[in-house]
Amino acid sequence: MKVYLRTYGCQMNERDSEHIAADFAGRGWEIADSPDDADAIIVNACSVREQAELKVVGLLGRLVSARLARPRGGLPAIGLIGCMAQNVGAKIVSKFPEIDFVAGSRKTAAVAGIAEEIVRRRLAGRGHPPLPEGMGRRTAKFSDAFVDVSDDPSDFLKIDKHLSAPPSALVSVMQGCQMNCSYCIVPKVRGAQRSRPMADILREIERLAERGTREVTLLGQVVNAYGREFPREGGISNFVRLLRAVNEIGGIERIRFTSPHPSYFSDELIDSYGSLEKLCEYVHLPLQWGSDAILKKMNRPYRAGRFLDIVSRLRKRVPNISVSTDIIVGFPGETEEDFELTRSAFREAGFDMAFIFRYSPRAGTPSAEMPDDVPEEEKRRRNAELLGELEKTSRAYNGSLVGSVQEVLVEGPARRGEGVMMGRTRTHRKALFKAPESLAGSLARVRVLSATTTALEAELA
Ligand code: 5AD
Ligand code: SF4
C-alpha cells in the first residue's frame, strides 16, 4: 500500500511528517510521490496564518474532486492532521464530508495506525467502521469522518522515528508554547510546553549519527526554553546542557536549533557560541517587531534594545555569525513611527535573512479582539520596504564571501540537476557547485565564485 504525505508550515510539521512516514514504512507501506495512486493521502497543515489555511482548503478541494473521479473501489482515504486539523478540523469536515479522518496536533504518533485501519477495513469491503477504542470517534453530525483532536499527553514523547538519516536531520526536543504572544495560535493548537527527556533525544541523535547524519537541527517552538520543567543541574540551563551533550556525540559535526526566544537567550547560551565547536555560526532569532510599544501589545516580554544587545554580543563572540529573523508587519495600532523604529532595529541587527509576514488575525487569539486597522495595501508596502532592506544586507553579506573558501555539508543534488550539488555553509548559506553525487553526506571545501541574495555559486576547492 502507498501513502502520499503533503506538509505545510514550519519545520516542526515537517518533522512530524517524517515520523509518520517512517511509521508507515515500518508497517510495510511505500511513500508515494503523488496522490494519484495512493491508498491514503495525508495533509499535515499549518494554522499560523490565514493564507496557509486557505491554501490547504484549495488543496483539499482538488484532492476530493480527484478522488471522486477515480473508479469505485480505488478510493484513497483522506486525512487532515496537524495544527490546522486541531484548529478547524471539524469545520473542514462539514465543508468536505469526503474527508475520512482528522487527527489533531497531539495525535501525530497515532496517524499511521488510524489511516491503516481505515484503508484495511475499506479494502475488506466493510465500509466506514467504528474505529477501535481510543482511535477517534465518528462525527455523526456532518459526515462519516473520524475526528480526534483530543490531547494525548505522551504523543510528543513518541516522535522519534526517521525514514532515513539525511546529512542534515531535524530532531524535535520540545513541543508547545506558553509564551502566549497575543497574535499566535500555537499555544491553542500545540498546547503548553513539554520537553522530551534528554536521554531520549541523545539516543535518537546517536542513532542518526550511526546511520550517516552529520548535522542536527534541534526543534521546538521556544527551543531555548527546553527543559525548563526539569530541575537544573550545576546551575546550567537544560538547553545549554543539551547542546553540550550533543556536541560530544561522535559523527555529528554541526549543531543548529530553531526557534529560540529572546527572553531565554541566556549569557551561557551566548557563551556557547565559539566555545562549542559544533555549534554553527548561525541563529534564527525572531524579533517580530522593533517598537517596544508594539512588542508590549504583542505580549513579547523583551524590549528591542535587549534583542539588539543579544545580537551585538553574539557578533562579538563570533564576528562572522549570520542572523535571521521573523517580523510581522501591520499589527493592530502600528503607526508609521512604529514602523520606522522597526526599520532602524532591522538595520542595526543587520539580518542576513528574514521572513516578513503580514499580520493576519487568528480567531481565538487575544489580538483578534483588537481592530485590524492597518490597511492591507499599507501592510504590503511595509513588507516590501523591509524586503528592500533585507536585500541590501543579504547581498552585501553573500558578496563578502566571493573569493573565500567555505566548509559546506553536501546535502544532495541541487534542484537544477546537471551534476550540481547543494550544500550549506556553517552560516546556513546555500552553495551550489559541481561535484560527484558520492560526496553527499560529507563535509567539503568550496571556493565561492559569485553570489546572489539567496545562494552562492561555488566550485570544489
Ligand atoms: N499573523 C502573521 N504572522 C504570524 N506569525 C505568527 N502568528 C502570526 C499572525 N497571526 C509569524 C511569526 C512567527 C512565524 C512562524 O509566523 O513571525 O515567528
Ligand atoms: Fe504552523 Fe505554527 Fe503549527 Fe508550525 S507550529 S505548523 S508554524 S501553526
Side-chain angles (χ1 to χ4, degrees), residues 48-49 183 288 326 328 357-360 362:
V48 82
R49 284 175 299 279
Y183 52 81
Q288 308 299 8
D326 288 346
I328 300 175
F357 304 109
R358 277 175 281 132
Y359 169 73
S360 73
R362 309 306 290 130

Side-chain angles (χ1 to χ4, degrees), residues 9-10 13 46-48 83 185-186 190 221:
C10 65
N13 265 12
C46 173
S47 222
V48 82
C83 296
I185 193 87
V186 169
R190 289 264 181 188
Q221 267 89 23

Side-chain angles (χ1 to χ4, degrees), residues 106 287 340 367 406:
R106 281 161 278 174
L287 167 63
E340 285 309 320
S367 73
Q406 299 285 323

Side-chain angles (χ1 to χ4, degrees), residues 102-103 106-107 109-111 113-114 117 130-138 146-152 158:
V102 169
R106 281 161 278 174
K107 285 281 160 201
V111 166
I114 295 173
E117 184 66 16
L131 283 178
E133 198 61 33
M135 282 177 90
R137 71 189 160 78
R138 206 174 178 128
F146 295 98
V147 177
D148 190 352
V149 289
S150 65
D151 183 8
D152 172 358
K158 301 173 198 153

Side-chain angles (χ1 to χ4, degrees), residues 216-266:
V216 282
T217 301
L218 310 179
L219 292 182
Q221 267 89 23
V222 193
V223 69
N224 54 340
Y226 166 79
R228 65 193 272 282
E229 316 92 307
F230 309 148
R232 276 161 84 104
E233 279 174 35
I236 296 168
S237 77
N238 283 315
F239 182 60
V240 171
R241 282 184 51 226
L242 175 66
L243 290 179
R244 290 182 185 176
V246 178
N247 199 60
E248 296 302 313
I249 296 178
I252 295 298
E253 309 274 1
R254 292 171 163 196
I255 306 169
R256 305 184 190 279
F257 56 84
T258 200
S259 289
H261 191 289
S263 298
Y264 288 94
F265 224 98
S266 61

